[in-house]
Amino acid sequence: MLKAKSILFILFFTISGLNSFAQDAGRKAISLNDQWEFQKENGSVEQVNIPHTWNNKDVLDDTPGYYRGLGIYKRKLKLDESAKDKDIFLVFNGIAQESEVLVNGKSAGKHIGSYAKFIVPIKQFLNYTNDVIEVRANNRFNEDIPPLTADFTFFGGMYRNVTLLITNSVHFSQHENGSSGVFITTPQVSAETADVNINSYIENTSTLARKLQINTTIFNSKGEEVASQTATLSLNKGEKKSVSQNVKSIKKPELWSPENPYLYRVVTKIIDSKTKVVVDQVSSPLGFRWFKFDADKGFFLNGKSVKLIGASRHQDYENLGNATPDALQIKDVEWLKAMGGNFLRVAHYPQDPLILEACDRLGILASVEIPVVNTITETEAFTNNCLNMQTEMIKQNFNHPSIIIWAYMNEILLRLKFSNDKPRQQIYFDHVRELAQKLDSLTRRLDPSRYTLLVNHGAWDIYNKVGLTKIPMIVGWNLYSGWYSGVPADFAKFLDRHHKELPNTPFMVTEYGADADPRIRSFAPIRFDKSIEYALQFHQVYLNAMLNRPFVAGGMAWNLADFNSETREETMPHINNKGLLTIGRQPKDTYFLYQAYLSGKPYLKITSAQWKDRTGIADSGALASTQPVQVATNLKSAELFLNGKSLGTKEAVDHIIDWNVPFINGLNQLRVVSGDQNDQADINFQLQPFKFTDSKIAFTNMNVLLGSKRFYIDEKEHQLWMPDQPYRVGSWGWIGGEPYKGTNNRIMYGSDKNILGTDNDPIYQTQQVGIKQFKFDVPDGEYELALHFAELVGGESKEALAYNLDNNHKKEAEEKRVFSVSINGSSFMNQVNLAADFGYTTAVQKKTRITVQNGKGIVIDFNSIEGKAVLNAIQLRKVY
């Protein structure tokens, strides 16, 4: 319980009878986001505002796991006496994941599931003097509640808006699974005419029978009345009824589309027949459109072929967890629209109502799904929770014209159970199929006007064998050829296989992507190096394959933005880096690539401008370092200028143009021109001498990654790291050894383990194994040298993450590693055992000052005593 001495804030407002309610259509909705007290179970009390999560920090630390348990929210609520004849509700847009609402210590309602709205009537529990609301939220693991496992974090908290709703005793029902109680369909739409059906649920909680009028009016975007209809209704005390109204033959409707997201507004009122007072009112969006999916020709909207290209979205944000403010959520949809996208896969769960409202306004088509991910529990409770989540999702979002698909499973066979017991596994498969069929049948019954979707990962044979490709109206495939397994060229082969073997089943590519750590760059990108350049090539292959195949209805990049996944390690621990935007919503080069592919207007962008601080070795005999620069465009060709000098005109290949640019030391001004389009960028370049004897290039400092072919930008300390090189006389480099190779098949080099004690994991995730020497042929002077180490082999064995499909670990053979380090013949580190002395996967930095004299430069010797010596990174700075 909260401490008795805690201050409880009080909300005051005055309710002054029915007449004031008539002025605002019979209901008041008042935000309750402020003035809450919060504590974890047995924890200290703090003041918080909603939205709030208790996991925004602990999911980012180096300690595995995060708090999954009970959180208690509490506040006082004081209502005026005049509220006693009203119905009063608490509306929660999202609480993770088991919720109980108490009023004055008595349970007023419970809810299961993290991602749907729910409404709790509280009138009977109020004393109207010193009422106390308590919300008990729990994000513990519960085998009966999906999601059970997933590649995203299950944040806890009251993380979406909370509202106090006050209505008259006659009102639209608040018992329709969190919906408004009004459901709109458009059974017939064409360019010439359209029909609208409005089905309203109305209840009377008063002690008297009431005679009512139900008036529905359709307004266009200018606020002009288009059509109106009134029905009569008699309600006995305590009775609930539905009213169906049919508005026929609206002439020449303005059609809703991504190019013209024209919205009408449907206002439905409950009017007292005797007094003519409006006792309740609900407003709903209306968009006239018709659509279909075709297995051969893809998707059609309003009779026109449309390729659906967009992204999926997770709801969390940098340092905020899932407690994301309204403006940032709306901005996400604006990012998608500005990218040229026309589709949002709301994944893997229903999200804040603001998201679909923004899709309606901006013309983004959408699918929504419930979080049945990776695996199921074979219990009646799990099944019932899934069915209830599907019902809530459909009813709450029913009126959004942007929605064309309801989905209900994602990669459900990713984590196979009972692999060592095939008869028992078959029973499990049967249960999965039965659940899918129940969800699909429920969806078609609740909303016959939209399509159903079940999403699979790329294991073709098993999904067909279990029968999951035969249940939904559309099959979704999450495909990562060239990332988790295979090569990018396998992607097109998979698309063709579906069309050949399931010729009558429409399908979409519901996920595809490659990690792109915005701090990592490479001139020789390869799979799983996490470089921006590899991701760019990856997306080019996928976009080309989908756009060139009419039978592919669409593709959704995974993901719109980077998101939190607490169990991930890799170069940016706890973050999935597949976003086209960073988790703080800064665009990556891949975002600009999509603009080049999708923009309907001329587009020209120096994507490499994102890499604004560079370093590199001067070309032999030159005062410049030649490095590639890329431009994204939908134009045929463009000309690039460096510091006012033309580097030539080149033609685009797959919307990208590459130039080799001779960067000079300091500021480099780039400008690209094509017709009346242009873009420019300033690149700051730190030029490293080809040889230290190059008097025209002053050496100041250098940071080198061993065993690596990628560049790394330390954004916090503003340090630029570059790949290593074998020793070259007059220059620098390593002698002896080879790059570290990880212990699973998908990592081409280095480690994907979380490095403790640093935020700069890429510095320590590669190393030279068996190194003998490292030499700097620097001139005489005073220098600061730093050596970086981490033991990458051994430590706590962790479960392989399910989504890493090609993750066949070799057993790590821990070897005792003992070595000594000397500098210019003097002992520096004696008999070092990284694992024993510092711990596994722990960042170690050893720094010293060196006086170089007599032209001997710096020679670092590594003497192996047991096992092989290693070096992960090295820094050298000239002091004077």
Side-chain angles (χ1 to χ4, degrees), residues 240-493:
K240 182 176 84 170
K241 285 184 179 180
S242 64
V243 174
S244 183
Q245 296 172 286
N246 303 305
V247 179
K248 294 186 176 296
S249 301
I250 295 176
K251 303 299 182 184
K252 297 287 183 181
E254 190 83 23
L255 298 180
W256 185 97
S257 70
E259 298 76 26
N260 180 38
Y262 192 96
L263 287 177
Y264 293 80
R265 187 164 50 96
V266 179
V267 178
T268 307
K269 299 177 181 179
I270 305 173
I271 302 170
D272 186 284
S273 295
K274 184 180 295 185
T275 64
K276 304 304 180 186
V277 170
V278 176
V279 295
D280 201 6
Q281 174 177 306
V282 167
S283 179
S284 308
L286 172 63
F288 290 115
R289 79 283 185 272
W290 75 94
F291 54 89
K292 73 170 183 177
F293 285 86
D294 183 276
D296 284 321
K297 299 178 181 179
F299 176 73
F300 291 81
L301 179 67
N302 302 331
K304 298 178 181 178
S305 176
V306 176
K307 183 73 78 172
L308 299 173
I309 299 291
S312 300
R313 175 191 186 262
H314 273 298
Q315 63 186 3
D316 58 303
Y317 198 93
E318 186 174 35
N319 298 322
L320 298 175
N322 60 349
T324 308
D326 294 356
L328 293 180
Q329 301 207 59
I330 294 170
K331 182 64 179 176
D332 273 2
V333 187
E334 293 173 346
W335 276 113
L336 181 61
K337 184 71 174 181
M339 186 185 84
N342 59 13
F343 194 94
L344 176 65
R345 181 185 175 211
V346 182
H348 293 299
Y349 41 80
Q351 295 177 14
D352 195 285
L354 293 165
I355 295 299
L356 290 173
E357 290 173 356
C359 288
D360 292 341
R361 289 193 308 271
L362 296 174
I364 302 292
L365 294 151
S367 66
V368 193
E369 62 198 55
I370 59 171
V372 185
V373 183
N374 291 1
T375 186
I376 72 165
T377 303
E378 299 164 277
T379 64
E380 182 180 1
F382 186 88
T383 296
N384 289 338
N385 285 331
C386 291
L387 293 171
N388 186 62
M389 288 180 181
Q390 191 78 357
T391 301
E392 288 179 326
M393 176 181 71
I394 293 171
K395 288 194 172 183
Q396 291 176 23
N397 300 295
F398 194 88
N399 296 334
H400 290 290
S402 54
I403 296 179
I404 56 174
I405 297 170
W406 302 116
Y408 49 80
M409 277 185 176
N410 181 78
E411 299 185 351
I412 204 63
L413 301 180
L414 184 64
R415 297 178 68 95
L416 293 179
K417 294 183 176 180
F418 313 110
S419 295
N420 297 322
D421 186 347
K422 295 304 179 183
R424 179 64 182 89
Q425 188 177 67
Q426 186 57 52
I427 294 172
Y428 175 74
F429 288 159
D430 292 342
H431 285 145
V432 170
R433 185 176 59 254
E434 290 166 8
L435 177 59
Q437 188 62 68
K438 286 180 180 179
L439 287 166
D440 196 87
S441 299
L442 171 69
T443 304
R444 297 194 198 203
R445 178 173 56 82
L446 291 176
D447 187 4
S449 70
R450 293 180 170 103
Y451 284 75
T452 62
L453 170 70
L454 188 155
V455 174
N456 311 315
H457 75 281
W460 176 274
D461 293 331
I462 191 169
Y463 283 100
N464 277 284
K465 177 183 176 181
V466 174
L468 296 183
T469 58
K470 299 175 177 63
I471 294 173
M473 301 166 75
I474 310 167
V475 170
W477 291 108
N478 296 345
L479 302 175
Y480 292 92
S481 301
W483 191 249
Y484 291 127
S485 61
V487 296
D490 295 335
F491 174 66
K493 297 175 184 177

Side-chain angles (χ1 to χ4, degrees), residues 503-803:
N504 300 316
T505 305
F507 77 100
M508 307 170 71
V509 183
T510 37
E511 288 184 25
Y512 62 92
D515 285 19
D517 186 328
R519 306 167 301 170
I520 292 175
R521 296 281 180 164
S522 177
F523 301 149
I526 61 173
R527 176 184 168 209
F528 253 87
D529 67 359
K530 304 300 187 78
S531 70
I532 293 290
E533 285 72 21
Y534 183 83
L536 201 70
Q537 295 176 5
F538 181 99
H539 282 274
Q540 284 177 299
V541 171
Y542 275 59
L543 282 168
N544 291 341
M546 292 185 294
L547 292 172
N548 291 333
R549 287 166 170 79
F551 56 81
V552 179
M556 280 78 253
W558 186 261
N559 197 278
L560 178 65
D562 293 347
F563 58 92
N564 188 273
S565 181
E566 197 274 345
T567 55
R568 279 184 174 265
E569 297 189 346
E570 302 166 340
T571 60
M572 193 179 289
H574 318 302
I575 302 296
N576 186 317
N577 280 129
K578 293 183 185 64
L580 305 177
L581 308 169
T582 68
I583 195 170
R585 277 37 174 198
Q586 295 299 311
K588 304 178 189 178
D589 294 19
T590 45
Y591 180 86
F592 301 128
L593 178 72
Y594 275 76
Q595 288 185 311
Y597 267 86
L598 303 177
S599 178
K601 299 177 180 180
Y603 182 80
L604 189 66
K605 176 70 177 179
I606 302 173
T607 59
S608 298
Q610 303 301 102
W611 189 5
K612 61 184 178 181
D613 295 308
R614 294 193 181 203
T615 188
I617 303 169
D619 304 335
S620 178
L623 297 178
S625 176
T626 301
Q627 294 186 358
V629 164
Q630 293 185 318
V631 168
T633 185
N634 57 7
L635 303 171
K636 182 180 179 181
S637 61
E639 184 177 11
L640 185 70
F641 295 84
L642 173 66
N643 300 324
K645 181 181 179 181
S646 175
L647 299 182
T649 298
K650 291 193 172 186
E651 292 193 355
V653 178
D654 295 332
H655 297 276
I656 290 291
I657 309 177
D658 292 276
W659 280 271
N660 288 320
V661 175
F663 288 104
I664 61 172
N665 196 52
L667 179 64
N668 294 258
Q669 295 182 315
L670 295 173
R671 185 168 182 265
V672 66
V673 177
S674 182
D676 60 356
Q677 300 295 307
N678 68 86
D679 188 33
Q680 58 188 29
D682 289 343
I683 306 296
N684 296 305
F685 201 95
Q686 182 184 4
L687 189 64
Q688 301 290 354
F690 183 78
K691 290 187 175 182
F692 288 114
T693 54
D694 293 342
S695 59
K696 294 182 179 180
I697 303 175
F699 171 74
T700 57
N701 66 87
M702 108 175 11
N703 311 300
V704 180
L705 303 174
L706 273 294
S708 174
K709 298 303 177 188
R710 62 192 183 191
F711 293 81
Y712 174 69
I713 301 102
D714 177 355
E715 297 170 329
K716 292 182 179 178
E717 296 187 19
H718 302 285
Q719 290 187 332
L720 307 177
W721 295 79
M722 62 184 186
D724 64 6
Q725 66 177 21
Y727 171 68
R728 179 162 43 81
V729 175
S731 182
W732 56 272
W734 51 264
I735 298 172
E738 60 185 6
Y740 170 85
K741 185 167 182 352
T743 55
N744 60 56
N745 290 337
R746 72 187 164 82
I747 298 295
M748 304 297 291
Y749 63 89
S751 172
D752 60 353
K753 294 180 179 179
N754 180 16
I755 307 300
L756 306 179
T758 182
D759 290 330
N760 291 313
D761 294 67
I763 294 175
Y764 299 92
Q765 288 173 327
T766 61
Q767 64 184 196
Q768 191 77 356
V769 181
I771 187 170
K772 302 300 183 184
Q773 280 187 333
F774 200 101
K775 299 179 72 173
F776 293 98
D777 291 347
V778 291
D780 291 357
E782 192 77 9
Y783 295 86
E784 182 182 79
L785 177 71
L787 306 181
H788 298 263
F789 306 91
E791 180 55 73
L792 300 179
V793 180
E796 182 182 354
S797 179
K798 298 180 181 179
E799 179 186 6
L801 301 179
Y803 39 81

Side-chain angles (χ1 to χ4, degrees), residues 51-109:
H52 173 263
T53 178
W54 56 72
N55 294 125
N56 58 314
K57 292 184 175 64
D58 65 352
V59 296
L60 295 171
D61 59 31
D62 279 340
T63 303
Y66 54 103
Y67 181 73
R68 298 191 65 179
L70 178 65
I72 303 168
Y73 298 85
K74 198 170 185 180
R75 67 167 295 156
K76 257 190 177 176
L77 176 71
K78 183 161 184 169
L79 302 175
D80 188 86
E81 287 286 324
S82 61
K84 288 186 176 180
D85 64 342
K86 307 298 177 186
D87 280 0
I88 301 174
F89 306 87
L90 293 174
V91 182
F92 300 93
N93 278 340
I95 299 179
Q97 69 173 344
E98 299 171 74
S99 313
E100 183 176 15
V101 180
L102 297 93
V103 179
N104 298 326
K106 295 182 179 179
S107 181

